[in-house]
Amino acid sequence: MIKNQTLEELSERFMSIDEAAEYLKIQKGTLRNWLTQGKFGFKRKKISSKTFVDRDQVEAFLSEALQD
């Protein structure tokens, strides 16, 4: 567990593949490919059979993409 973070904070920090793909306006398959290929530095966390990504990383990626 990440030090000093409550379960509620952690649940807000991570988003499902579906949520992340919708947020980025891309297909789920594209995001899954990026995760498999290690593109853009997204780290995935698997819990049971569900895959999650760090919301901060997704937001930073989108913010940087919009700056260019």
Side-chain angles (χ1 to χ4, degrees):
M1 186 163 180
I2 299 172
K3 198 173 189 178
N4 298 325
Q5 288 190 322
T6 66
L7 185 56
E8 184 177 322
E9 290 170 329
L10 286 172
S11 69
E12 289 176 8
R13 178 175 168 185
F14 292 97
M15 55 189 354
S16 70
I17 295 295
D18 292 346
E19 293 170 317
E22 183 177 328
Y23 186 81
L24 293 168
K25 307 288 191 245
I26 61 173
Q27 297 292 316
K28 290 186 293 187
T30 300
L31 182 54
R32 285 194 172 108
N33 287 339
W34 289 358
L35 291 169
T36 299
Q37 296 168 6
K39 286 189 173 185
F40 310 113
F42 293 137
K43 303 272 192 230
R44 67 176 136 194
K45 301 289 181 196
K46 289 205 68 125
I47 300 173
S48 190
S49 63
K50 294 279 244 170
T51 302
F52 298 88
V53 293
D54 191 312
R55 182 180 306 276
D56 293 340
Q57 289 180 331
V58 173
E59 289 175 355
F61 169 78
L62 187 57
S63 178
E64 185 176 317
L66 293 173
Q67 302 253 340
D68 292 338

